């Protein structure tokens, strides 16, 4: 059983991975997403460092940060968005190194296109085009798949400092 924090640019949640149903998220203010990410990364590990050890190896918790495939393949007109996602990606390994002495692991998820309520509003032609770019399976990721990866990153004690792409092999074109 792991204990950690999951943070994305839109949602932040305390997670006890033995209860995956608690992956329901709480809204964060979009305009405050950078401070939410940094605040979670800065404040939560301080609290985790005071946790009882979860294992004999000294582990006290885990942090999962959310980036995007845009960190690696920014599209035309998305320089600021891509740079912000690249910043979160860069934070993962650095934070893992900084927090290792406290017994806190840090990992990240760089998601592709996830079937969220925001995606429900796109027209079918555009959705089909997006799905065609995914290698396999040719569909959008499901929120449950994202949640399962968060749980895996928290539960896998030897996984640290890594960002995992959840994208079905998607590589975004320049446009």
């Amino acid at each position: 059983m792991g204990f950690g924090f999951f943070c994305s640019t839109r949602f932040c949640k305390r997670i006890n991975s033995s209860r995956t149903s608690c992956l329901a998220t709480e809204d964060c203010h979009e305009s405050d997403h950078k401070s939410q990410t940094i605040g979670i990364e800065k404040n939560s590990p301080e609290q985790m460092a005071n946790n009882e050890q979860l294992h004999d190896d000294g582990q006290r918790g885990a942090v999962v940060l959310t980036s995007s495939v845009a960190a690696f393949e920014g599209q035309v007109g998305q320089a600021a968005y891509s740079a912000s996602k690249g910043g979160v990606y860069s934070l993962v390994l650095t934070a893992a190194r900084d927090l290792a002495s406290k017994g806190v692991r840090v990992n990240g998820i760089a998601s592709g296109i996830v079937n969220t309520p925001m995606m429900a509003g796109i027209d079918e032609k555009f959705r089909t085009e997006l799905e065609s770019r995914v290698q396999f399976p040719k569909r959008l990721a499901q929120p449950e798949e994202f949640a399962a990866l968060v749980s895996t990153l928290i539960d896998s004690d030897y996984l640290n400092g890594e960002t995992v792409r959840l994208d079905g092999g998607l590589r975004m074109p320049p446009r």
Side-chain angles (χ1 to χ4, degrees):
M1 177 177 83
F3 174 79
F5 277 84
F6 157 69
C7 188
S8 77
T9 58
R10 291 183 151 238
F11 307 106
C12 303
K13 185 68 179 177
R14 180 178 167 165
I15 297 171
N16 176 337
S17 63
S18 67
R19 295 182 297 132
T20 56
S21 61
C22 74
L23 289 171
T25 55
E26 299 168 0
D27 286 311
C28 295
H29 298 287
E30 180 69 25
S31 63
D32 198 30
H33 72 278
K34 290 177 191 165
S35 63
Q36 289 287 347
T37 300
I38 301 302
I40 290 288
E41 195 278 327
K42 178 179 175 282
N43 298 320
S44 301
E46 290 175 16
Q47 293 178 4
M48 286 181 197
N50 295 321
N51 287 344
E52 290 184 32
Q53 290 184 14
L54 300 172
H55 304 284
D56 292 339
D57 62 9
Q59 183 173 186
R60 290 184 162 81
V63 175
V64 179
L65 299 176
T66 302
S67 183
S68 164
V69 295
F72 314 108
E73 293 126 24
Q75 293 186 292
V76 172
Q78 292 188 344
Y81 178 77
S82 183
S84 70
K85 298 306 176 181
V88 174
Y89 166 73
S90 296
L91 180 61
V92 170
L93 179 58
T94 305
R97 290 174 173 167
D98 287 348
L99 298 172
S101 65
K102 295 177 174 28
V104 177
R105 295 179 300 107
V106 180
N107 288 294
I109 298 173
S111 62
I113 306 165
V114 181
N115 193 19
T116 62
M118 180 180 83
M119 297 306 292
I122 65 172
D123 73 14
E124 194 59 37
K125 182 178 178 184
F126 184 56
R127 181 186 200 81
T128 301
E129 181 183 332
L130 290 174
E131 290 173 341
S132 74
R133 296 176 183 171
V134 177
Q135 295 302 304
F136 187 81
K138 289 211 173 282
R139 60 174 173 77
L140 305 184
Q142 297 302 309
E144 296 81 7
E145 293 168 315
F146 188 94
L149 182 53
V150 170
S151 291
T152 296
L153 292 173
I154 290 172
D155 290 340
S156 299
D157 295 334
Y158 204 67
L159 194 53
N160 192 16
E162 188 60 54
T163 297
V164 178
R165 290 180 70 126
L166 182 66
D167 63 7
L170 172 73
R171 297 301 179 265
M172 296 297 287
R175 294 190 188 273

